Amino acid sequence: MTGQEEPNEDGRAAAESGAAAELRNVSRTYGEGAAAVSALEEVTTGFRKGTFTAVMGPSGSGKTTLLQCLAGLVRPSSGAVSLGGVQIDGLPEKRLARVRRSRVGFVFQEFNLIPALTALENMLLPMRLAGRRPDREWVAEITGRTGIAHRLSHLPHELSGGQQQRVAICRALVTRPAVICADEPTGALDGSSGREVMALLREAVDVYRQTLVMVTHDPVAASYSDRVLFLVDGRIVETMGRPVPHTVAERMTALVEEVR
Amino acid sequence: MIGIAWRILRRSPGTLFGAFIMITVGTALLAAFAIVQDSISRTTAPVERYAAADVVASGQAGVFTPEAVEEAGGLPGVAEAVPELSFPALVLGADGHPPADWEDTARFGHGWSSAGLTPFLLLEGRAPDASDEVVLDAESAAEAGAGVGDRVDVEVAGTVRGHRLVGVVEAEAGPTEYQRALFFTDRRAAELAARGGGRSDAIGLHLEPGADPGAVAAALDERLRSALAGDVDSPSGVPAYRVGSGAERGELEQALPDHRASAQAMAMLIWIVAFMAVAVIGGALITSVRSRAEQFALLRAVGATPGQVRLLCLAEAFLLSLAGVAAGALSGMLLGRLLLEGFRAIGVVSPVLRVHYGPGALLIAGVTALVVGQAAAWFAARAALRIRPAEVLAGQAAVPVTRGRRRVGRITGALLLAAAGILQALGMAGLVPAVLRGAYGMIASGLVIVGLGLLGSWAIHAAARAVRPLLSWAAPVAGHLAAANVGFHHRRYAGAAVPIAVGTAIAGWALAGLPLFALGNSQDVAERFAADQVLRTPIVRDAHTGLGEPVRERLEEAPGVSAAVGLRELWAHAAPPGSGGPGGSGAPEVTRGTVVTGRAGALLDLGEVTGDLASVGAGRGVALGAAYARQAGIGLHDEVEVRTAGASRPTVLPVVALFERDKGGGEGIVVASEALRDAPRGWYDYVLVGEEKEGRAAEAAAAVLSARGTASAEDPEEFLRAYVQERQGAIDNLGTLATAMVGGFLVIASVNALALSAADRRSELASIRRIGVTGRRLSRMVSWEMALTVVPAWLLGGLATAWMAAAMAGGDLGAALWAYPGAVLLGFGAAGLAAALLGALAATRSALRAADAR
Ligand SMILES: Nc1ncnc2c1ncn2[C@@H]1O[C@H](COP(=O)(O)OP(=O)(O)OP(=O)(O)O)[C@@H](O)[C@H]1O
Ligand SMILES: [Mg+2]
């Protein structure tokens, strides 16, 4: 299993160019025939190591699909996806699972934790699945930084929503993945918890040089990122560097207007 | 993965509670059936009649020749060999009726010289000395209200004769509990038993002091076997005789019913329950997997491979099974005891049967339940792997499988049902290949279960769609919502309801199978009769007590009677000389043989006959079934060696006729008893009477049988009707009880599954309530949902039953309809629906209460 995760020719090129993950001409269609929906169309973009990218766009514009293609949860209908130097489209399910386990960290909007496992067990789940021993120092470091060290033996229902998201962030960090994919991680949180979670994600990028891709509807959340991709009808229509909440909000409003 | 499974079970046991219940109930049934089977196979008949004999050989009527007895007496260590006759004999009461319990407690006639095998000792009077004298045991005498010197009527082989009671005996060890004894003079006993050639039914050995009974038994067995060169065993392996010493002698008295068939039925039930348990437990596990879709999606997302997810499901089921097995084994022990007592109360099993809790039975039940749990978990794992993590985690409802796939499932389901029916029809007709003969019933039931599983969800979907307009009109809110819910979630509801379909089908199939089996048997028998009257005796302990030659003779001599023929059925075999017995290379299989006495050609309808049937009746040759002869490569006029059960030597006879009606070779031989010189004679199963003028046969029969005793005479139609009933009565008790249990299992399963699905809908119900639907309407909606789920599933099961019944009846729809257990199935459906309604309403109420409390 180590063999297939070694960077291949393409991967080396990608690594040289500094991209932790890359989508090339990725399209995704759902359904067939008359009912076919094109969720992504010929999307090409790279995510440089140690950067934080936010993906925004109207509802149904393909944000989640983009993120899931990148994470190996959805297979693109065409195009290529590479993760940390490994081309993952076309891998059989078993190998794809192993890639996700070691190279992708996930933070979802709502259902992030297995109810029957404690915070620590949830956090270490990818390690357990891989049969790998956790690095104690690293675990102590990230649980300390996210401030859940004293909650580790609690079951998810004993934690607040913000605490649960922090456990999910720790789980995403624990394997030191090539990319962390977050789909509306603050969508179900109140304002202050949301800000705390965003601050933690920003730290992960700044302190640990993690690569982060986040889907969000919230211009404030997007302003924590280095770059915002705007998606409309499955295409990237604009890229914005150094986002500030009100400019992001203006762009979004404009885009929604255009769509109408 | 086992660690995760363990934590899931420990910390949220609720999610898997339903599966746990089903494993527990399933294990309880398995354990109960295994215990019953084990108890049956461990029960030995007590030694009564042969208590004083050290070694006993006994078998079918007349199996031992006088030479064999003599040889037995010459074996080293044997002091004396006593030949014994043991034939059904009844003392009739003053009113001419047999004693009330004559079908339950055996009553045997013997020759006086064998009284010492018990020994029976005279309490009063003296030994029989003349042919019309009889000695009775004290119970029989008391029953008949007769004392020494009185006259008693004794029925033997359909003939009632007056005898003088000259003595009363009792076994040395005290009254025998399970049999009564009548003693005649040796000569009279031989005459009545009519075994021919001085043959006897059993041999009792008294040994010299110090001789080893085991060794003598082995030597005797060997000697006797070599004296049976013309014998064939039954296909199920029942030998012509058995030898035993010690406790084995009890079985050899043949006074108690043989339980082997019951034990086999139990083994079969274990299989059926195991099959159903896979479906039911699988259903419960799948429900729990579906309700945890997010959890499985998350696991997949963070990198669990398909193999790991499967392992998780298997591990969960394994741990759950361990707990379920522990709980189920205990209740199974209780249930097993109740069952055995029930069986004993209705007289299905012998009165000596005692419950036995062997570790073997519990082990079998436990291991079966574990295997069943794993098989069920395999289906659950499939469901878990069908969950698409991307969709679930993005908050989209899981999209149902595509149309094409559904259609494939539906077509496969229908095909499987069709295959099951065809297999069953072939099986009933005796046309399945030999390798499948023992297993086709099980294979067919497996096909039915899987087929119904595949069709169940479609049936519920289709029914919901079909009644939707009607329901929306009849109950605009509750009915409309229910139809929409069931239609949309039909897979979820199907998981709960399929057990009802399967259970209804299995129960219906078993219940229809018994009468059809009896009907088929009886029709096979009656089909060959071209007689005006059929005489017979009731079936006791699986066999006709039988009619003797005097009955036939007197009928033949009666005025207006054209012919009277005695018929006896036994296992037989015919092959070219030198090709050896059954099992020899190239030899055909054992077949049912009919041994005839009298002018058989006139009263047997064997279909088209080539050759001369009359010379068969005269004992000048044998008639073979056309198919049988073809399989054996035998032609008309060839010489064949005929072997019959219990014969000491094969008889070489020319084939003088070939007949058409031989059930594909299954009933392939007709031969006269005169022709079989080296075979024991026995009593007739039937005596057929032909008449010269309308009504004469019935008159003659009435005159010969008199009003007393147990024999009866019927015209062929009456015969068929009465005989079907009797056959059915002889076999169906066990089936009915067992089916009721299996039905109960399914009712529990469906209630469990439906209640679970209701409990799962807390948030859905709460949101419907929020849009202003009252609690009462919600309850009504849930009730409609249950009806929409249970009724189609039940109908599907009923249809499958009809199909299987039609297949078993060989396409005879009248017979299928006659055997269709409509009333019982209706009861099943009603009970299932009622239980589902109660369960779901209770679960809904508690779910709503919990939602309100939030
Ligand atoms: N499994 C699926 N089957 C069919 N269509 C789908 C599926 N998943 C997504 N789609 C469609 O693809 C398009 C893009 O969906 P996607 O979930 O990527 O949008 P999104 O930008 O994440 O929207 P939102 O902001 O509402 O989450 C939508 O039109 C959606 O209906
Ligand atoms: Mg989305």
Side-chain angles (χ1 to χ4, degrees):
Chain A
M1 118 157 206
T2 44
Q4 80 230 10
E5 286 181 24
E6 288 297 317
N8 54 16
E9 288 294 315
D10 281 359
R12 215 163 285 135
E16 275 154 25
S17 71
E22 208 176 11
L23 299 177
R24 245 178 294 144
N25 299 325
V26 170
S27 298
R28 169 73 208 203
T29 335
Y30 290 105
E32 277 166 25
V37 177
S38 171
L40 275 189
E41 280 179 42
E42 298 283 325
V43 169
T44 300
T45 183
F47 302 92
R48 280 160 48 96
K49 188 163 166 52
T51 63
F52 183 168
T53 307
V55 181
M56 297 193 78
S59 183
S61 58
K63 304 180 295 292
T64 297
T65 306
L66 182 148
L67 196 73
Q68 291 185 335
C69 281
L70 182 71
L73 271 176
V74 161
R75 290 171 192 279
S77 308
S78 67
V81 180
S82 72
L83 255 186
V86 177
Q87 182 141 355
I88 63 161
D89 49 281
L91 284 184
E93 182 52 38
K94 187 167 160 186
R95 279 164 69 181
L96 208 51
R98 288 176 171 164
V99 169
R100 284 201 298 269
R101 178 199 282 170
S102 58
R103 307 199 159 218
V104 186
F106 285 99
V107 183
F108 299 103
Q109 176 175 352
E110 221 154 343
F111 195 91
N112 261 306
L113 307 176
I114 308 272
L117 301 184
T118 62
L120 183 67
E121 286 164 349
N122 264 295
M123 202 179 125
L124 298 182
L125 193 56
M127 309 294 273
R128 179 190 276 272
L129 289 171
R132 269 163 53 194
R133 297 195 145 271
D135 172 347
R136 279 166 190 272
E137 275 172 36
W138 176 234
V139 170
E141 159 79 24
I142 56 180
T143 54
R145 190 171 282 275
T146 50
I148 49 154
H150 61 295
R151 284 277 193 261
L152 290 180
S153 59
H154 289 242
L155 290 173
H157 72 261
E158 296 162 343
L159 301 175
S160 73
Q163 286 168 334
Q164 290 184 20
Q165 289 309 75
R166 283 188 253 169
V167 175
I169 292 171
C170 285
R171 185 190 58 211
L173 284 169
V174 78
T175 54
R176 298 185 224 248
V179 59
I180 293 177
C181 296
D183 196 346
E184 304 190 37
T186 58
L189 300 180
D190 62 51
S192 70
S193 313
R195 276 192 295 281
E196 280 170 30
V197 165
M198 285 316 304
L200 276 174
L201 289 175
R202 185 67 238 180
E203 269 184 55
V205 177
D206 293 343
V207 180
Y208 304 128
R209 285 211 5 102
Q210 273 295 340
T211 312
L212 190 68
V213 182
M214 175 186 76
V215 167
T216 185
H217 279 121
D218 176 8
V220 178
S223 70
Y224 284 79
S225 70
D226 302 318
R227 177 178 69 138
V228 181
L229 300 180
F230 289 96
L231 224 56
V232 174
D233 291 340
R235 294 174 191 277
I236 298 177
V237 292
E238 195 175 327
T239 310
M240 178 190 283
R242 304 180 178 280
V244 194
H246 79 264
T247 52
V248 175
E250 275 166 18
R251 262 332 279 146
M252 274 299 290
T253 325
L255 282 176
V256 172
E257 292 290 290
E258 275 172 41
V259 171
R260 282 191 189 147
Chain B
M1 279 297 148
I2 296 192
I4 296 179
W6 169 240
R7 288 178 177 88
I8 288 173
L9 287 186
R10 197 161 47 103
R11 294 188 186 137
S12 49
T15 49
L16 286 153
F17 184 66
F20 169 75
I21 297 247
M22 288 334 297
I23 293 175
T24 305
V25 177
T27 309
L29 270 193
L30 288 172
F33 291 164
I35 284 169
V36 170
Q37 193 209 6
D38 190 37
S39 303
I40 288 177
S41 60
R42 272 168 198 275
T43 298
T44 48
V47 182
E48 293 188 325
R49 169 75 180 115
Y50 298 137
D54 300 301
V55 174
V56 176
S58 112
Q60 62 181 77
V63 67
F64 302 123
T65 58
E67 298 81 56
V69 177
E70 204 165 303
E71 282 191 34
L75 287 172
V78 175
E80 192 195 359
V82 181
E84 136 104 327
L85 286 167
S86 188
F87 50 88
L90 286 176
V91 180
L92 301 181
D95 54 359
H97 291 306
D101 69 337
W102 77 276
E103 286 179 271
D104 301 323
T105 306
R107 290 167 161 82
F108 291 131
H110 310 279
W112 178 250
S113 68
S114 67
L117 293 175
T118 310
F120 275 105
L121 303 177
L122 278 168
L123 291 179
E124 234 187 292
R126 58 170 176 80
D129 195 29
S131 67
D132 69 337
E133 292 178 355
V134 69
V135 166
L136 299 181
D137 63 5
E139 287 72 34
S140 299
E143 224 167 48
V148 170
D150 290 347
R151 284 196 76 77
V152 288
D153 280 340
V154 177
E155 181 188 7
V156 175
T159 303
V160 180
R161 300 175 184 86
H163 284 76
R164 207 150 66 82
L165 180 60
V166 296
V168 174
V169 290
E170 189 174 273
E172 193 180 45
T176 52
E177 197 173 338
Y178 303 109
Q179 58 189 309
R180 309 267 175 272
L182 292 74
F183 288 96
F184 304 93
T185 62
D186 285 359
R187 212 162 118 198
R188 178 62 158 173
E191 210 175 277
L192 290 172
R195 307 308 196 211
R199 287 169 169 267
S200 50
D201 307 331
I203 306 173
L205 301 186
H206 299 293
L207 301 191
E208 283 162 357
D212 170 17
V216 174
L220 177 63
D221 195 13
E222 199 175 312
R223 194 59 59 90
L224 292 175
R225 191 167 313 282
S226 66
L228 282 170
D231 175 50
V232 290
D233 286 350
S234 78
S236 55
V238 179
Y241 72 93
R242 278 183 297 161
V243 176
S245 60
E248 299 157 358
R249 293 169 298 171
E251 223 50 52
L252 300 181
E253 292 172 9
Q254 303 185 27
L256 291 165
D258 187 351
H259 301 315
R260 268 166 297 197
S262 312
Q264 266 168 14
M266 281 295 144
M268 182 79 183
L269 272 179
I270 290 177
W271 275 104
I272 290 180
V273 170
F275 266 135
M276 309 219 326
V278 171
V280 161
I281 297 169
L285 286 175
I286 289 172
T287 306
S288 111
V289 162
R290 293 224 173 101
S291 73
R292 292 180 290 156
E294 286 128 334
Q295 179 178 316
F296 282 98
L298 183 65
L299 272 170
R300 292 289 301 281
V302 301
T305 60
Q308 284 175 317
V309 169
R310 200 170 293 127
L311 187 62
L312 175 65
C313 290
L314 291 177
E316 276 183 4
F318 183 75
L319 294 172
L320 208 60
S321 307
L322 281 184
V325 163
L330 282 176
S331 16
M333 286 166 75
L334 206 72
L335 193 61
R337 149 154 276 157
L338 287 176
L339 256 181
L340 268 186
E341 264 150 30
F343 284 162
R344 208 161 47 214
I346 59 172
V348 171
V349 296
S350 113
V352 294
L353 191 53
R354 296 285 173 272
V355 65
H356 175 92
Y357 295 125
L362 290 177
L363 197 72
I364 287 176
V367 170
T368 309
L370 288 182
V371 172
V372 160
Q374 292 297 287
W378 189 84
F379 289 104
R382 255 177 38 132
L385 288 175
R386 219 180 272 153
I387 293 168
R388 284 180 263 184
E391 287 162 21
V392 175
L393 293 169
Q396 283 151 342
V399 184
V401 279
T402 51
R403 272 208 113 66
R405 194 141 166 208
R406 273 219 310 263
R407 187 154 67 219
V408 169
R410 208 156 71 205
I411 292 171
T412 316
L415 285 179
L416 289 180
L417 277 187
I422 291 166
L423 191 62
Q424 184 67 32
L426 291 179
M428 292 292 276
L431 294 178
V432 292
V435 275
L436 287 182
R437 210 154 284 168
Y440 75 86
M442 248 153 56
I443 296 173
S445 67
L447 292 179
V448 168
I449 292 170
V450 178
L452 286 179
L454 288 172
L455 283 176
S457 124
W458 163 78
I460 288 169
H461 186 58
R465 267 227 308 248
V467 301
R468 195 169 175 164
L470 191 71
L471 257 189
S472 301
W473 170 79
V477 178
H480 178 79
L481 280 174
N485 272 339
V486 174
F488 184 71
H489 293 298
H490 61 277
R491 296 190 122 244
R492 179 167 87 188
Y493 285 95
V498 161
I500 298 176
V502 172
T504 310
I506 294 271
W509 179 13
L511 290 174
L514 290 159
L516 283 173
F517 186 71
L519 179 68
N521 259 344
S522 311
Q523 278 173 340
D524 286 352
V525 171
E527 187 186 58
R528 286 181 162 197
F529 294 170
D532 299 302
Q533 285 282 301
V534 180
L535 278 70
R536 68 186 174 99
T537 54
I539 302 170
V540 178
R541 284 185 292 284
D542 264 1
H544 293 272
T545 48
L547 295 163
E549 171 65 6
V551 174
R552 191 197 70 84
E553 239 166 37
R554 268 185 288 153
L555 280 166
E556 201 164 47
E557 285 156 11
V561 167
S562 61
V565 178
L567 301 182
R568 193 154 63 88
E569 303 245 299
L570 40 62
W571 294 105
H573 182 257
S579 63
S585 60
E589 286 175 45
V590 172
T591 183
R592 297 287 298 167
T594 304
V595 177
V596 299
T597 308
R599 298 203 294 114
L603 300 184
L604 281 186
D605 179 5
L606 298 176
E608 199 179 307
V609 175
T610 49
D612 174 21
L613 212 49
S615 48
V616 173
R620 286 193 296 269
V622 62
L624 296 186
Y628 185 80
R630 206 175 324 115
Q631 286 156 21
I634 300 169
L636 192 62
H637 308 309
D638 287 359
E639 291 228 311
V640 290
E641 274 178 0
V642 178
R643 287 175 167 78
T644 53
S648 12
R649 267 177 293 274
T651 310
V652 177
L653 287 169
V655 176
V656 293
L658 293 177
F659 60 89
E660 178 195 356
R661 251 179 214 166
D662 76 339
K663 288 262 144 204
E667 297 182 359
I669 296 181
V670 175
V671 64
S673 58
E674 287 114 290
L676 301 172
R677 260 173 218 106
D678 294 310
R681 300 219 167 173
W683 299 349
Y684 307 127
D685 298 331
Y686 314 98
V687 174
L688 306 185
V689 186
E691 64 198 359
E692 283 156 357
K693 246 172 69 193
E694 172 108 28
R696 302 308 288 271
E699 268 168 41
V704 167
L705 288 184
S706 80
R708 296 171 301 166
T710 57
S712 58
E714 291 140 341
D715 70 34
E717 269 159 46
E718 285 166 0
F719 165 76
L720 184 58
R721 226 168 314 146
Y723 195 63
V724 169
Q725 290 259 314
E726 198 167 326
R727 277 252 153 224
Q728 216 175 319
I731 47 182
D732 81 356
N733 289 324
L734 187 93
T736 313
L737 230 176
T739 319
M741 309 227 40
V742 174
F745 179 51
L746 288 153
V747 170
I748 296 172
S750 67
V751 173
N752 180 52
L754 291 169
L756 275 182
S757 80
D760 239 25
R761 297 167 63 190
R762 190 170 301 162
S763 61
E764 184 190 333
L765 291 177
S767 66
I768 299 181
R769 174 111 151 215
R770 237 173 278 127
I771 59 170
V773 178
T774 60
R776 242 180 77 198
R777 278 204 164 134
L778 268 182
S779 295
R780 237 182 280 151
M781 175 189 89
V782 170
S783 305
W784 277 117
E785 285 175 11
M786 291 303 110
L788 279 175
T789 312
V790 171
V791 174
W794 172 78
L795 279 176
L796 185 65
L799 282 177
T801 301
W803 159 240
M804 294 310 280
M808 285 189 291
D812 179 351
L813 293 185
L817 204 63
W818 165 77
Y820 194 82
V824 180
L825 291 194
L826 210 61
F828 253 66
L833 186 58
L837 281 177
L838 288 177
L841 285 177
T844 305
R845 209 153 295 152
S846 89
L848 281 177
R849 222 176 293 129
D852 289 347
R854 282 230 165 148

